[in-house]
């Protein structure tokens, strides 16, 4: 066990953890952030996605020690139901979820995409989200939500 | 809140045990309370069991239906709002709690709107009637002279005389009896109460936004995976190769060194670990070295072996749904006969979030938090597993990952219950990805044998359809047992449930016609990871693939346009014809026989059609595909679907479901197959069991056929049924290759092109 300093959603926090424990468990269990989800533990589905250093990363395979002192943003860091982030609002407007288990990853991958590419094309969006699986089949609505969040939908 | 306290005491008195985690209830207006009847469940003949109205006019509904991520809770809330004449935003649906909710049967089979809807509608109508009686007394009028708007009752013609529902009953109980006969899906609630005419509907039929969606998009929503109770430990399971192979030895020397390790549990072939943290539980499970004894049964070594079993084994029951005339005689007299065999593979639900539950088991009582599709079934399974009276087990539904039938077999609650009992503390169990891919109950393989004969004019005079499939054995209740129960030695007493019977061509009227779905016995004594369970539109996709491909084959051979050919046999089936016409119109279908004239380029385009009837909901589907002739790769470019599920409650919610069915259906048709050999399942992650990704998703065009004069039917799965068939027919149209085995992989397409 080691003391690990994290900077999550703008807040500095110190936790006691095995350095090789994936960041996901620190976020969910130590910091009680439910946004990032366990889907596969293999970086294959994207349910656990968070933004670290500006990139969408898979927290299920990122050792918590590798996240030390790096800015991490989770779904909770974007907004809440009282004050939603424009991406979250766009997902509401497009009703872009069914069970919603994958949606954390969709929104966080979108966040990283739009920060770098504010007006992505359809194929850029599909490419950015290609590693995020959705079993309910909400893809078309998600694509529209990303377009809307980037101000490209009338 | 006072009432809730009272009821908490009632509940505690009933169980004689302290139940933790009442503090876990969200701060919802839980003032009302269902009334426990003579048994252990809420009494459906008490109006108060169904709903309660708060002083502020908020309506809490104690529904026995759950939302599996399909939005059905929103649609049910619309039905209640409509019938009560209160704003939709004032309806509060509480999560199913077996200590409070009415048992309306499992949430499955696209039956929640069809069966659960009228139950809630009639209860709400009965409540409205009671409220009008109270209002009449208060306003010195008669119920006939009263009108309701937004939960405020007024006397017609005298606008000064008003009283709100909140003022009439807020926080108090109705204490009114209603009629309720039958149980579960078949319960008939207050049929004597007149509900609204559809012409008066204002909320039903509108696209209300999903109630729970905002909180899912911010991380505030509490999924089953997010439940934490005080003192909770974490568990993981270690499964055997099959349930009869027992641990010959367990070496826990390394597992014990994991910091936070608590315990290893072995009961029969059930092995699990408990640790203080989730990461410790994962590491301890990984470090556990278990040597298993030889299983009694070997897994089938290949899909061919499974299809041979399906072909050669005598059926348990033939499940004949249509038996008209004499197909054998007609076949003998036919001027031309056709025969084909179709294969549908084992497929997975593939929940994005693997199974997860929290159990808190005490000396003689248990509380379970789970995403089960059948809370009352879970209660029974856990009570039998633990040997507790059923009334001492309480199941609290927490929505989990979309389950598409998988959580009809709530295995993980049993795992959590065994581990919690072993340590005397609450335990959260989450399956790892390979646990889920290996042991989730699969949608079973099907072998469909079809024969038909035509007369000299090319008219089909004989149709003989047999869908040979396995029963669904991974379930609880009706003599079946879940995984952990089986592992500790509890035996099933039944041979399994039907995998459905629809989709064998019964939509058509042929002179001589037989449609059957013989159930072939499946390994029961020694359950293997090839377990069988309900998978969205159970069996219909495989049957529809076979029947709708076959009729297409005959149409092509007769050089008739496939739509025109179908219309000939739809006869009096008006809804079927309407759906077919609606979808072909929207798709701008060009009348001509298949296949299309060959193209010289590397890519060939094709279109295919299929129709289906799942639980009364009718679909017409048109797929437009592009086949790469050099690679065999199939791309579904566009999918058009016409959908008729009677009265539509929430058009946008329904569209969301249909889009999902199409996309999941395309995935299942093009790429999904569980691979296995004699040692186990080989597709244990998303690399080996690929599902559709963003770049592969087709454009979708949906036509909703609303029939407000009809009852509302389900929309959760019917549109899955025709997807694969339409794609297979489109592939044939594009390249002249008839695929009779799914999935339609590039290898199969290329192999077909070589043969052609």
């Amino acid at each position: 066990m080691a003391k690990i300093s994290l900077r999550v959603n703008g807040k500095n926090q110190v936790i006691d953890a095995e350095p090789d424990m994936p960041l996901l468990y620190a976020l969910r269990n130590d910091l009680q952030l439910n946004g990032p989800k366990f889907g596969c533990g293999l970086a294959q589905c994207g349910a656990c996605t968070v933004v670290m250093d500006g990139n969408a990363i898979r927290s299920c395979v990122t050792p918590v020690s590798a996240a030390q002192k790096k800015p991490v943003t989770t779904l909770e860091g974007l907004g809440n139901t009282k004050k939603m982030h424009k991406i979250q609002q766009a997902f509401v407007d497009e009703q872009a979820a069914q069970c919603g288990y994958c949606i954390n990853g969709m929104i966080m991958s979108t966040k990283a995409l739009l920060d770098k590419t504010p007006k992505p094309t359809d194929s850029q969006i599909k490419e950015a989200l290609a590693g995020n699986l959705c079993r309910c089949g909400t893809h078309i609505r998600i694509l529209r939500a990303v377009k809307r969040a980037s101000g490209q939908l009338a | 809140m006072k009432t809730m306290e009272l009821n908490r005491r009632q509940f505690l008195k009933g169980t004689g045990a302290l139940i933790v985690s009442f503090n876990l209830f969200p701060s919802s207006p839980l003032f009302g309370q269902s009334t426990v009847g003579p048994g252990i469940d809420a009494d459906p003949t008490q109006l108060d069991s169904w709903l309660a109205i708060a002083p502020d006019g908020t309506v809490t509904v104690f529904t026995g239906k759950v939302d599996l991520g399909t939005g059905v809770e929103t649609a049910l809330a619309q039905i209640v709002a409509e019938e009560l004449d209160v704003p939709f935003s004032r309806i509060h649906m509480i999560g199913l709690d077996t200590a409070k909710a009415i048992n309306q049967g499992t949430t499955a089979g696209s039956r929640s709107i069809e069966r659960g809807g009228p139950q809630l509608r009639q209860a709400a109508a009965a409540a409205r009637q009671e409220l009008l009686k109270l209002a009449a007394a208060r306003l010195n009028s008669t119920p006939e002279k009263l009108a309701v708007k937004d939960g405020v009752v007024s006397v017609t013609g005298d606008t000064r005389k008003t009283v709100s529902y909140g003022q009439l009953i807020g926080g108090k109980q109705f204490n009114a009896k209603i009629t309720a006969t039958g149980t579960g899906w078949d319960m008939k609630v207050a049929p004597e109460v007149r509900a609204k005419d559809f012409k008066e509907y204002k909320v039903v039929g509108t696209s209300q936004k999903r109630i729970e969606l905002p909180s899912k998009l911010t991380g505030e929503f509490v999924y089953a995976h997010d439940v934490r109770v005080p003192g909770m430990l974490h568990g993981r399971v270690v499964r055997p190769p099959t349930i009869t192979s027992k641990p010959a030895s367990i070496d826990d020397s390394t597992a014990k060194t994991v910091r936070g390790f608590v315990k290893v549990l072995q009961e029969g072939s059930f092995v699990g670990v408990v640790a203080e943290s989730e990461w410790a539980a994962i590491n301890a499970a990984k470090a556990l070295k278990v040597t298993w004894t030889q299983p009694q049964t070997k897994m089938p070594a290949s899909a061919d072996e499974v299809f041979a079993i399906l072909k050669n084994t005598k059926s348990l029951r033939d499940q004949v749904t249509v038996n008209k005339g004499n197909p054998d005689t007609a076949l003998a007299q036919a001027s031309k006969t056709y025969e084909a065999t179709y294969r549908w593979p084992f497929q997975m639900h593939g929940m994005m979030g693997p199974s997860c539950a929290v159990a808190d088991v005490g000396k003689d009582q248990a509380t379970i938090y789970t995403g089960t599709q059948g809370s009352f079934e879970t209660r029974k399974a856990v009570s039998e597993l633990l040997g507790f009276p059923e009334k001492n087990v309480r199941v609290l539904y927490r929505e989990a990952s979309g389950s598409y039938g998988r959580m009809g077999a709530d295995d993980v609650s049993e795992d959590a219950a065994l581990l919690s009992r072993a340590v005397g503390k609450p335990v959260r169990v989450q399956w790892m990805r390979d646990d889920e891919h290996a042991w989730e109950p699969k949608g079973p393989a099907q072998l469909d044998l079809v024969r038909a004969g035509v007369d000299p004019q090319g008219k089909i005079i004989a149709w003989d359809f047999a869908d040979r499939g396995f029963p669904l054995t991974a379930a609880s209740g009706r003599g079946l047992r879940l995984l952990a129960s089986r592992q500790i030695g509890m035996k099933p007493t039944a041979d399994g449930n039907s995998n459905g019977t629809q989709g064998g061509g019964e939509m058509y009227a042929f002179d001589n016609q037989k449609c059957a779905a013989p159930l072939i016995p499946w390994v029961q004594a020694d359950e293997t990871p090839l377990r069988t369970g309900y998978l969205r539109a159970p069996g219909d996709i495989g049957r529809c693939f076979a029947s709708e491909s076959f009729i297409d084959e005959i149409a092509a051979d007769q050089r008739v346009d496939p739509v025109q050919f179908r219309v000939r046999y739809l006869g009096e089936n008006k809804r079927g014809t309407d759906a077919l016409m609606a979808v072909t119109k929207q798709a701008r279908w060009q009348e001509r026989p298949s296949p299309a004239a060959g193209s010289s380029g590397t890519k060939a385009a094709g279109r295919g059609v299929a129709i289906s009837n799942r639980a009364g909901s009718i679909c017409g589907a048109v797929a437009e595909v592009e086949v790469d002739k050099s690679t065999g790769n199939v791309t579904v470019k566009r999918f058009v679907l016409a959908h008729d599920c009677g009265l539509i409650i929430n058009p946008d919610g329904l569209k969301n479901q249909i889009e999902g069915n199409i996309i999941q259906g395309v995935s299942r048709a093009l790429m999904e197959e569980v691979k296995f050999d004699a040692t186990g399942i080989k597709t244990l992650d998303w690399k080996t069991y690929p599902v559709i990704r963003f770049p592969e998703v087709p454009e979708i065009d949906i036509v909703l056929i609303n029939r407000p004069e009809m009852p509302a039917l389900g929309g959760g799965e019917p549109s899955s049924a025709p997807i694969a068939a339409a794609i297979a027919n489109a592939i044939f149209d594009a390249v002249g290759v008839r695929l009779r085995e799914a999935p339609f992989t590039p290898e199969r397409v290329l192999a077909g092109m070589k043969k052609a």
Side-chain angles (χ1 to χ4, degrees):
Chain A
M1 295 288 257
K3 294 255 182 261
I4 305 221
S5 310
L6 296 172
R7 185 168 174 73
V8 180
N9 299 332
K11 225 164 102 186
N12 292 316
Q13 317 219 37
V14 180
I15 61 161
D16 258 323
E18 308 281 354
D20 65 341
M21 179 180 82
L23 174 62
L24 175 66
Y25 300 106
L27 297 173
R28 287 185 55 82
N29 298 335
D30 295 282
L31 306 184
Q32 309 228 331
L33 295 168
N34 292 334
K37 294 276 184 278
F38 176 87
C40 63
L42 306 161
Q44 290 178 350
C45 76
C48 66
T49 306
V50 299
V51 174
M52 185 166 87
D53 262 347
N55 297 312
I57 60 143
R58 305 297 188 230
S59 68
C60 73
V61 293
T62 305
V64 65
S65 55
Q68 288 221 67
K69 299 194 176 84
K70 289 186 183 162
V72 170
T73 305
T74 72
L75 187 60
E76 290 87 345
L78 297 192
N80 55 50
T81 45
K82 289 193 182 70
K83 193 173 183 312
M84 284 199 157
H85 187 275
K86 68 172 183 183
I87 299 176
Q88 292 165 324
Q89 187 58 51
F91 274 67
V92 173
D93 293 344
E94 292 297 334
Q95 291 289 287
Q98 292 186 33
C99 82
Y101 199 86
C102 72
I103 221 70
N104 161 72
M106 300 296 175
I107 292 176
M108 297 317 289
S109 295
T110 300
K111 173 79 170 80
L113 170 70
L114 297 189
D115 283 351
K116 287 175 194 156
T117 314
K119 303 274 177 202
T121 63
D122 280 7
S123 57
Q124 282 174 321
I125 299 170
K126 287 182 185 177
E127 202 45 49
L129 298 178
N132 289 84
L133 302 180
C134 166
R135 190 58 169 155
C136 295
T138 323
H139 303 71
I140 287 169
R141 285 164 186 257
I142 293 169
L143 288 174
R144 272 209 309 267
V146 179
K147 295 285 271 192
R148 179 177 288 278
S150 60
Q152 300 186 86
L153 215 62
Chain B
M1 281 320 229
K2 237 178 173 171
T3 324
M4 182 194 154
E5 282 304 307
L6 176 79
N7 285 302
R8 173 181 170 173
R9 282 198 299 276
Q10 281 174 343
F11 180 72
L12 295 179
K13 215 171 113 198
T15 62
L18 182 73
I19 307 292
V20 294
S21 58
F22 269 83
N23 56 347
L24 272 173
F25 281 121
S27 50
S28 54
L30 257 179
F31 50 86
Q33 170 67 42
S34 56
T35 313
V36 175
I40 56 171
D41 289 338
D43 178 0
T45 68
Q46 289 286 348
L47 188 51
D48 295 307
S49 296
W50 292 91
L51 54 87
I53 296 175
D56 67 358
T58 313
V59 180
T60 299
V61 183
F62 304 101
T63 176
K65 288 292 172 184
V66 299
D67 203 314
L68 303 167
T70 64
V72 80
E73 202 167 68
T74 300
L76 292 173
Q78 284 178 252
I79 292 172
V80 174
E82 181 69 69
E83 216 51 51
L84 276 173
D85 279 315
V86 298
F88 171 71
S89 59
R90 261 184 238 164
I91 306 290
H92 184 84
M93 311 288 283
I94 69 155
L96 200 165
D97 171 354
T98 54
K100 294 181 188 333
I102 302 229
N103 186 347
Q104 292 179 273
T106 57
T107 302
S110 286
R111 301 289 186 179
S112 298
I113 292 292
E114 183 203 327
R115 308 294 181 94
Q119 294 168 351
L120 287 175
R121 181 192 67 212
Q122 291 308 111
R128 188 179 191 276
Q129 193 172 284
E130 287 301 316
L131 286 159
L132 288 185
K133 272 192 226 159
L134 294 171
R138 182 83 69 98
L139 299 173
N140 230 339
S141 183
T142 57
E144 300 75 44
K145 289 187 182 145
L146 300 176
V148 188
K149 197 183 171 207
D150 291 347
V152 177
V153 189
S154 59
V155 179
T156 313
D158 188 352
T159 47
R160 289 160 310 160
K161 283 181 145 185
T162 66
V163 63
S164 72
Y165 284 173
Q167 289 167 328
L168 285 171
I169 194 114
K172 297 192 293 281
Q173 298 204 325
F174 285 98
N175 289 319
K177 289 288 268 186
I178 58 173
T179 62
T181 53
T183 58
W185 286 7
D186 298 325
M187 191 195 297
K188 292 269 176 293
V189 180
E192 69 282 2
V193 177
R194 207 178 133 256
K196 268 191 194 174
D197 187 89
F198 71 85
K199 292 190 192 92
E200 299 169 53
Y201 282 169
K202 296 182 205 74
V203 183
V204 164
T206 61
S207 290
Q208 297 294 331
K209 286 196 151 66
R210 291 263 295 265
I211 298 167
E212 87 299 3
L213 225 55
S215 61
K216 283 180 171 173
L217 299 168
T218 59
E220 290 159 74
F221 190 85
V222 178
Y223 287 87
H225 301 71
D226 305 323
V227 170
R228 298 182 188 89
V229 304
M232 182 179 86
L233 303 177
H234 293 265
R236 284 296 184 275
V237 287
V238 181
R239 301 281 184 213
T242 78
I243 59 149
T244 61
S245 74
K246 298 215 163 71
S249 68
I250 298 179
D251 175 2
D252 61 4
S253 54
T254 316
K256 278 181 167 161
T257 67
V258 171
R259 189 192 300 263
F261 170 89
V262 173
K263 190 182 178 84
V264 171
L265 172 70
Q266 186 230 320
E267 279 188 67
S269 75
F270 182 88
V271 177
V273 299
V274 180
E276 285 165 9
S277 75
E278 189 168 13
W279 185 235
I282 292 167
N283 284 325
K286 249 190 247 168
L288 207 63
K289 295 188 193 78
V290 186
T291 313
W292 301 99
T293 60
Q294 276 297 319
Q296 282 175 13
T297 314
K298 261 201 166 170
M299 290 258 296
S302 66
D304 284 340
E305 216 172 276
V306 169
F307 288 116
I309 294 170
L310 282 173
K311 187 169 178 215
N312 301 324
T313 313
K314 193 176 170 325
S315 84
L316 294 163
R317 352 184 228 290
D318 281 342
Q319 302 195 109
V320 178
T321 54
V322 179
N323 204 354
K324 198 171 91 187
N326 192 332
D328 284 326
T329 315
L331 273 163
Q333 291 161 357
S335 63
K336 186 165 187 183
T337 59
Y338 300 88
E339 187 165 358
T341 301
Y342 300 85
R343 291 172 157 202
W344 192 260
F346 270 95
Q347 292 188 325
M348 287 192 356
H349 304 79
M351 293 194 295
M352 290 304 305
S355 300
C356 183
V358 175
D360 186 5
V361 179
K363 197 165 62 64
D364 60 359
Q365 56 75 33
T367 306
I368 311 281
Y369 297 86
T370 172
T372 180
Q373 290 179 228
S375 294
F376 296 93
E377 284 70 18
T378 293
R379 180 179 69 184
K380 186 160 192 290
V382 169
S383 76
E384 288 173 4
L385 176 82
L386 300 173
F388 293 173
E390 208 174 329
K391 68 178 170 61
N392 291 14
V393 177
R394 183 183 188 192
V395 175
L396 293 133
Y397 177 75
R398 290 294 178 271
E399 190 176 327
S401 187
S403 52
Y404 330 107
R406 190 265 176 268
M407 289 308 287
D410 186 11
D411 297 304
V412 70
S413 285
E414 288 199 343
D415 297 340
L418 286 180
L419 291 175
S420 173
R421 180 170 67 177
V423 294
K425 284 184 178 158
V427 174
R428 173 185 185 274
V429 176
Q430 183 175 290
W431 289 19
M432 300 304 284
R433 178 45 56 194
D434 55 349
D435 295 326
E436 188 69 33
H437 268 51
W439 279 96
E440 72 140 272
K442 320 287 186 295
Q446 291 161 264
L447 183 76
D448 288 7
L449 314 172
V450 206
R451 297 185 302 155
V454 295
D455 69 10
Q457 286 73 47
K459 180 191 172 198
I460 297 178
I461 52 165
W463 177 271
D464 182 15
F465 185 96
D467 164 53
R468 298 180 73 83
F470 296 121
L472 309 179
T473 61
S476 62
R478 289 198 269 180
L480 300 169
R481 297 272 177 208
L482 297 172
L483 188 52
S485 297
R486 300 281 323 255
Q487 288 185 270
I488 67 166
M490 297 169 82
K491 298 223 173 358
T493 53
D495 48 30
N497 301 325
S498 169
N499 193 27
T501 56
Q502 286 188 298
E506 71 284 343
M507 287 182 84
Y508 302 109
F510 303 120
D511 294 343
N512 300 281
Q513 185 173 11
K514 187 172 177 186
C515 300
L519 275 179
I520 308 303
W522 186 229
V523 193
Q524 264 285 71
D526 182 9
E527 191 150 53
T528 78
L530 274 179
R531 304 165 74 211
T532 54
Y534 295 101
L535 172 56
R536 205 175 200 174
D540 282 15
I541 303 181
R543 283 183 295 271
C544 193
F545 162 56
S547 68
E548 284 293 286
S549 292
F550 192 61
I551 197 162
D552 230 62
E553 294 199 38
I554 304 171
D557 186 65
Q558 295 289 328
R559 304 302 298 152
V560 180
D561 172 77
V563 173
Q564 294 309 317
F565 196 68
R566 283 170 170 80
V567 170
R568 292 178 188 174
Y569 304 102
L570 279 167
E572 303 291 297
N573 190 340
K574 183 178 181 306
R575 289 175 66 215
T577 309
D578 287 354
L580 182 58
M581 291 300 112
V583 74
T584 46
K585 182 173 174 229
Q586 187 75 7
R588 296 174 190 280
W589 183 269
Q590 302 289 320
E591 198 179 316
R592 61 164 173 77
S594 279
S599 66
S600 53
T602 55
K603 287 182 176 165
R607 90 286 163 85
V609 66
I611 56 171
S612 63
N613 173 357
R614 162 94 198 145
S617 291
I618 311 286
C619 295
V622 169
E624 294 172 11
V625 306
E626 188 178 81
V627 181
D628 186 319
K629 291 192 271 186
S630 58
T631 61
N633 193 52
V634 177
T635 308
V636 180
K637 306 291 281 186
R638 180 163 178 250
F639 212 102
V640 189
L641 194 132
H643 194 279
D644 169 5
C645 56
L647 165 74
I648 296 170
I649 309 292
N650 182 328
D652 187 63
L654 176 61
K655 272 193 170 175
N656 199 352
Q657 282 306 292
I658 297 170
E659 288 168 23
N661 276 286
I662 293 172
I663 293 170
Q664 196 180 78
V666 170
S667 182
R668 289 176 67 181
L670 292 186
M671 57 193 87
E672 297 188 26
E673 178 173 10
V674 173
K675 302 255 173 72
F676 51 86
D677 67 16
T679 63
I681 306 288
K682 295 297 155 192
T683 42
L684 294 174
D685 60 17
W686 296 117
K687 277 215 169 77
T688 49
Y689 190 89
V691 296
I692 197 164
R693 290 171 187 272
F694 275 91
E696 299 149 345
V697 168
E699 186 192 322
I700 289 177
D701 198 348
I702 293 166
V703 185
L704 296 182
I705 300 171
N706 189 23
R707 296 193 188 275
E709 72 288 357
M710 263 186 67
L713 303 170
E717 62 188 12
S719 50
S720 275
I723 310 301
I727 294 171
N729 292 337
I731 293 170
F732 175 75
D733 190 57
V735 292
V737 172
R738 180 54 66 182
L739 293 179
R740 297 197 185 94
E741 181 165 13
F744 314 136
T745 57
E747 298 74 32
R748 287 196 173 123
V749 174
L750 275 186
M753 287 176 67
K754 263 187 204 144
K755 259 199 285 180

